Amino acid sequence: MYVSQTSPTTSLQPSLNGYASGGYAVQSIGPANGSMVMNGTVGQRPASVGEVQLFLFVNPGSGGNKGQVFLQAANPFKVDLDDGTKAALNIYSLLDGESGNKKGFHHLKQVIQSLGGKPVRVVVGGGDGTVMWADTEATKHGIDTPTQVQFGIMPLGTGNDFSRVAGWGGNNPCNVEDNDWALLTRMVKQWMAAIPRPHDVWEVTVSVDESTGKLTNIGKTKEEEDVGVNSKTFAMINYFSIGQESQVGMHFDKHRTKSQTCNLFVYGLAGLGQELRCWGVQHIGNVVANLYQGTKGKGTLILDSEGDAGEPELIGNPESLMFLNIPSYAGGKANLWQKDQPSGVEPAHPPEAIDVDQDPGDGRLECVTLPNIANIALDKLHHFSSRVYSGGPYFLEFFKDDEADIHAFFEVDGEFYHAINPESAAVRLQKKLSVLQNSGEKFDESDEETGWGC
């Protein structure tokens, strides 16, 4: 099926047959009314005339430098589509040029202008965080990404959860140049057939005490380094979590490799080692004091760890508190929001706050607790997570201790940080992007005809 650059508005509904096309059944609710660039002008799409422009922005270092091979293809890379039209894939490195002044994004802006501001398909090659890198660059070049770009993803990271949910699998592509770039040709056809759907972008701000606090992450020296600010804001499209899995992630970052397979193995070893050090394990009830739906401690109290009578208290003392925008975690190992799972707080919140289907474009984040990070690896066998709330925005207050430092580890879309004497975390909806959802059958990574990986 061919879908033009200006594909119809879509609705997003959970599939009744599991998660078809990467998790969602996408239905067209408007007419296809695409425009194309023909001889330098904008015109209505004819039956078999014209050339559709789409873009591929690659992080050449991603996937153990597997992204580099795409920069060796013909540029533009032209593909004859099944309906008789031709697609021109314009390929650029995300590293070329200074931020805010990159040739590829200037070209993209010109194409968008030639189409009268109508959206253009932009595929990003890299890990999940690369999507927001490309979005930030496009914005710096004067492009209104929510209305003028439809983002696709080519998985070149470690977990590739965003790609999995969009229906493109999680394996890094290989042998792309074989048989006269046959795989890239197939990719272009699949990207052109994909259907856009809404995807929320959230903003996470973590703040520490101005006098005694500090934010650190693992720097280029493979050691913890002070990021130099007391408050940091992140764009989030997948998940934000606090607790033991993020402490393990900090150890993983010290030993991260260029191999997707090795990275998954290293993360597993880091988790095992940290769990064996029982005295160093994070527990949410010792770190998070209160969680609200709202801003700055105003609104619905979702979670109270201070023991106030009648307030929703944590059940047990879980190792992780997670805010999920997508139904995939840790490279597809877990789908943690399950409607048949129990409440993670007592008393439980009303059904309208927890008995909801997960949808990355509905303006809500699903909040869960996890008793032990080992449960992540076992999730496909048995679900251990507990539902807390579905909604947003959120505001979280940390405990304070005048005699000893409070340590909290957190993650935003696979980037891990250590907060010393944290004060608060705020999560709010920033904007909605349009994301290309695989419109075919479920993506089978082991099938040479449908998968991209080796």
Side-chain angles (χ1 to χ4, degrees):
M1 176 182 68
Y2 171 81
V3 180
S4 69
Q5 284 178 237
T6 51
S7 300
T9 305
T10 58
S11 65
L12 188 61
Q13 299 178 353
S15 171
L16 297 178
N17 299 314
Y19 284 102
S21 301
Y24 301 94
V26 186
Q27 298 177 334
S28 264
I29 58 174
N33 185 22
S35 296
M36 304 182 66
V37 177
M38 299 184 297
N39 300 321
T41 62
V42 180
Q44 203 66 25
R45 182 172 67 85
S48 301
V49 181
E51 197 169 84
V52 183
Q53 302 288 320
L54 70 158
F55 287 74
L56 172 61
F57 287 97
V58 179
N59 179 0
S62 291
N65 295 321
K66 287 182 180 179
Q68 184 69 38
V69 68
F70 292 91
L71 301 176
Q72 301 169 14
N75 194 7
F77 185 82
K78 298 190 177 184
V79 175
D80 292 321
L81 302 176
D82 294 340
D83 70 343
T85 58
K86 187 183 291 290
L89 179 68
N90 302 281
I91 307 172
Y92 291 96
S93 168
L94 278 165
L95 299 179
D96 288 347
E98 297 181 358
S99 181
N101 186 22
K102 293 180 180 287
K103 180 180 178 181
F105 289 95
H106 286 303
H107 184 190
L108 172 61
K109 184 176 182 179
Q110 290 172 356
V111 171
I112 292 172
Q113 290 174 336
S114 74
L115 292 169
K118 293 181 179 179
V120 172
R121 297 186 172 220
V122 174
V123 179
V124 179
D128 289 347
T130 313
V131 176
M132 292 314 300
W133 180 7
D135 176 75
T136 299
E137 280 299 331
T139 301
K140 287 182 178 180
H141 287 75
I143 298 170
D144 182 45
T145 54
T147 62
Q148 296 180 334
V149 173
Q150 294 168 349
F151 280 110
I153 181 71
M154 178 174 61
L156 288 173
T158 300
N160 299 316
D161 288 298
F162 183 87
S163 176
R164 295 173 194 274
V165 170
W168 305 110
N171 286 348
N172 298 169
C174 59
N175 303 322
V176 179
E177 70 275 34
D178 288 0
N179 300 319
D180 195 24
W181 300 88
L183 178 56
L184 183 56
T185 298
R186 193 167 85 239
M187 286 177 168
V188 172
K189 290 183 177 181
Q190 289 174 317
W191 293 330
M192 291 306 303
I195 299 175
R197 60 151 172 91
H199 194 104
D200 297 330
V201 178
W202 295 82
E203 185 177 272
V204 179
T205 301
V206 178
S207 302
V208 299
D209 184 271
E210 290 187 359
S211 58
T212 64
K214 185 164 62 174
L215 283 171
T216 70
N217 65 352
I218 303 301
K220 293 181 180 180
T221 63
K222 298 295 184 179
E223 298 294 335
E224 275 196 49
E225 298 178 358
D226 190 342
V227 301
V229 296
N230 290 325
S231 182
K232 188 171 177 63
T233 298
F234 309 82
M236 184 269 282
I237 55 176
N238 290 350
Y239 33 69
F240 163 52
S241 62
I242 300 167
Q244 182 64 5
E245 83 298 326
S246 300
Q247 184 172 8
V248 170
M250 290 284 288
H251 288 276
F252 160 71
D253 274 350
K254 292 181 180 180
H255 306 284
R256 186 187 289 266
T257 74
K258 293 184 177 181
S259 165
Q260 181 187 28
T261 302
C262 287
N263 280 338
L264 294 173
F265 180 69
V266 168
Y267 186 85
L269 286 179
L272 177 62
Q274 194 64 31
E275 285 297 301
L276 293 175
R277 295 176 60 235
C278 298
W279 61 88
V281 172
Q282 288 259 289
H283 288 285
I284 296 305
N286 303 336
V287 178
V288 176
N290 297 293
L291 173 65
Y292 300 87
Q293 175 173 269
T295 59
K296 295 190 179 298
K298 299 177 181 179
T300 302
L301 181 61
I302 297 171
L303 181 157
D304 172 32
S305 297
E306 296 181 311
D308 296 331
E311 303 295 0
E313 296 184 18
L314 277 174
I315 296 176
N317 199 0
E319 291 185 2
S320 297
L321 179 68
M322 301 178 171
F323 300 84
L324 309 170
N325 195 39
I326 61 173
S328 180
Y329 186 83
K333 290 182 174 59
N335 181 3
L336 299 171
W337 181 261
Q338 300 290 333
K339 290 174 66 176
D340 57 354
Q341 287 300 99
S343 171
V345 295
E346 178 64 39
H349 292 286
E352 59 267 24
I354 56 175
D355 291 340
V356 299
D357 293 311
Q358 193 170 24
D359 179 341
D362 65 356
R364 303 167 72 121
L365 285 177
E366 282 63 53
C367 179
V368 303
T369 57
L370 197 64
N372 188 290
I373 64 167
N375 303 144
I376 296 172
L378 300 173
D379 188 71
K380 289 187 176 180
L381 299 176
H382 182 79
H383 299 299
F384 293 91
S385 57
S386 296
R387 295 172 297 161
V388 176
Y389 204 83
S390 174
Y394 291 103
F395 186 79
L396 186 151
E397 295 174 332
F398 292 94
F399 278 113
K400 296 181 180 180
D401 191 327
D402 294 332
E403 298 181 357
D405 289 336
I406 298 290
H407 296 266
F409 295 85
F410 68 93
E411 168 197 6
V412 180
D413 287 355
E415 299 293 329
F416 302 98
Y417 288 82
H418 179 191
I420 302 170
N421 295 326
E423 286 191 337
S424 65
V427 185
R428 71 173 187 89
L429 183 63
Q430 184 188 57
K431 61 183 176 182
K432 290 181 183 288
L433 296 179
S434 183
V435 169
L436 296 177
Q437 186 77 26
N438 178 16
S439 63
E441 297 299 320
K442 184 177 181 180
F443 204 86
D444 185 355
E445 298 178 21
S446 64
D447 187 341
E448 293 183 359
E449 295 300 317
T450 60
W452 291 348
C454 297

